[in-house]
Amino acid sequence: MTILPTLPAELKAALDARLQGLSRTDAAARAARISETYRGGGSSVTIRNQADALAYALARMPATYAASAASLNAIAEIRPDFAPQSLLDIGAGPGTATWAAAETWSMLQDFTLLDANAALRDLALDLARASTRLCEIGYRHGDARAQLARAEPADLVIASYLIGELDAAEQQMLAELMWSKTRDTLLVVEPGTPAGYARIIELRAQLIASGAHVAAPCPHDGACPLRQPDWCHFAQRLPRSQAHRQIKGAELPFEDEKFSYVALTRTPVAQRDARVLAQPTVGKVEVTAKLCAADGVTTARVPRRDKEAYARARRWRWGDGVV
Ligand SMILES: C[S@@+](CC[C@H](N)C(=O)[O-])C[C@H]1O[C@@H](n2cnc3c(N)ncnc32)[C@H](O)[C@@H]1O
């Protein structure tokens, strides 16, 4: 089923409970230091203890959850029959993508998470105890490649906001290994920056050469038709709670998380719809939308006089798959 971009109630309650007695000023300072490191091209190694892990989760988990949820929704929409039983969440951190996948597929029952960061692993296990579905997750601590080599293959493999923390050679090796452990579908999500998109597009080309098919967002397995300075990315709006705003030092009651992703499958999906690549413009005369179609990027113009098509196109949103 398609899911909301907001944290599930059990997860939100578990995070809120950990906020009790926590200094928001201290958490905000920790979150700011961690984001600063990310912006400077660093990684999550600066998350060293429970207070850091919690600050990171409070500041970033709502947004990475929203990006995972939107990508998983795209898979669920294009493959309504997909019914994964097992999940491997690589670079799982606090377990964000696992929570989103559990929400999407009620039949998922075998969850394995891998991560090198002990503080995030401890937080993930602590949060998972609050969930009826996730209280028995397996969490392997250590380097992704070494841990993955020992893991059983899974129906669904996810790497959410992970590969940007690896060097190019490591990304290539991990991509091949993740694919070898994928029984059905591999989802890779990255920040929606030109650099995040470039990593996705490299991994996509590498794994298509190894026999993968693209389920989403692309409606084809060919080379990406976008040319610099354009890049394929999407945006998911999510609400910010009061605590979330305080920890981020933000004013607005919502944020838009930009992300890039690719979902790769072992067998080609039956029908791949065109993808809306930017928020369409709804005018009095027509709806104009930038679409990625099987034969390249086009601008669709749906005139108002074509009532049914216009009414449908008015509902198109950036990121939708449309016929
Ligand atoms: C930005 S966090 C993303 C966490 C989570 N997947 C999410 O979407 O919220 C990146 C995670 O990748 C993990 N990571 C980075 N390099 C790793 C490696 N070589 N092996 C295992 N985990 C790694 C970090 O410890 C961190 O938890």
Side-chain angles (χ1 to χ4, degrees):
M1 73 174 194
T2 57
I3 62 168
L4 294 172
T6 44
L7 299 183
E10 286 178 325
L11 175 55
K12 189 168 177 312
L15 279 170
D16 284 350
R18 278 148 196 84
L19 262 174
Q20 302 302 320
L22 185 82
S23 153
R24 306 230 171 145
T25 320
D26 177 64
R30 286 174 196 273
R33 182 174 45 75
I34 295 163
S35 325
E36 198 53 44
T37 312
Y38 270 117
R39 272 195 292 276
S43 71
S44 43
V45 287
T46 47
I47 303 169
R48 295 204 179 88
N49 52 42
Q50 275 313 291
D52 289 343
L54 186 56
Y56 169 77
L58 291 167
R60 283 296 291 154
M61 215 174 171
T64 59
Y65 181 91
S68 285
S71 312
L72 293 170
N73 281 342
I75 297 175
E77 272 164 20
I78 206 143
R79 302 196 50 218
D81 299 337
F82 183 42
Q85 305 270 318
S86 53
L87 168 73
L88 270 172
D89 182 356
I90 304 160
T96 326
T98 293
W99 281 85
E103 283 289 297
T104 310
W105 290 286
S106 58
M107 68 295 294
L108 257 180
Q109 51 180 335
D110 177 1
F111 302 90
T112 304
L113 293 77
L114 320 174
D115 203 288
N117 188 306
L120 286 169
R121 184 261 330 256
D122 293 349
L123 177 63
L125 289 171
D126 198 25
L127 295 172
R129 274 192 278 277
S131 159
T132 35
R133 301 259 315 280
L134 301 177
C135 52
E136 291 189 2
I137 55 170
Y139 203 118
R140 297 173 182 220
H141 176 228
D143 178 69
R145 203 142 58 84
Q147 291 301 327
L148 190 54
R150 287 194 278 273
E152 283 294 310
D155 298 337
L156 175 63
V157 177
I158 305 181
S160 160
Y161 290 76
L162 163 69
I163 62 169
E165 298 203 8
L166 311 174
D167 67 31
E170 194 58 35
Q171 283 175 38
Q172 269 196 8
M173 286 186 283
L174 190 70
E176 215 55 59
L177 188 54
M178 291 194 295
W179 183 240
S180 75
K181 298 289 177 174
T182 302
R183 277 205 209 102
D184 191 297
T185 299
L186 169 65
L187 169 67
V188 181
V189 187
E190 280 292 285
T193 56
Y197 159 72
R199 289 189 287 273
I200 292 282
I201 223 67
E202 282 243 335
L203 175 139
R204 176 186 182 277
Q206 182 189 340
L207 295 184
I208 287 173
S210 298
H213 302 275
V214 184
C218 330
H220 58 82
D221 292 347
C224 178
L226 294 179
R227 292 286 159 263
Q228 277 182 0
D230 203 357
W231 76 100
C232 181
H233 65 294
F234 305 95
Q236 179 61 60
R237 178 156 293 188
L238 61 133
R240 283 180 176 143
S241 67
Q242 194 196 17
H244 190 194
R245 285 204 298 275
Q246 283 171 336
I247 281 153
K248 293 195 87 168
E251 305 250 306
L252 283 175
F254 64 85
E255 66 189 41
D256 292 316
E257 175 68 7
K258 302 238 169 72
F259 64 100
S260 294
Y261 75 100
V262 68
L264 298 160
T265 49
R266 292 252 161 225
T267 44
V269 294
Q271 189 197 324
R272 290 182 285 191
D273 300 334
R275 186 72 52 184
V276 182
L277 290 188
Q279 190 54 38
T281 313
V282 180
K284 287 207 171 109
V285 182
E286 61 185 16
V287 174
T288 315
K290 179 180 173 190
L291 300 182
C292 186
D295 52 357
V297 177
T298 57
T299 303
R301 297 182 188 285
V302 185
R304 190 178 199 135
R305 67 184 131 72
D306 186 348
K307 278 207 174 95
E308 250 176 54
Y310 181 84
R312 247 196 335 268
R314 272 179 71 94
R315 291 194 294 274
W316 289 352
R317 295 286 171 268
W318 184 6
D320 284 355
V322 299
V323 190

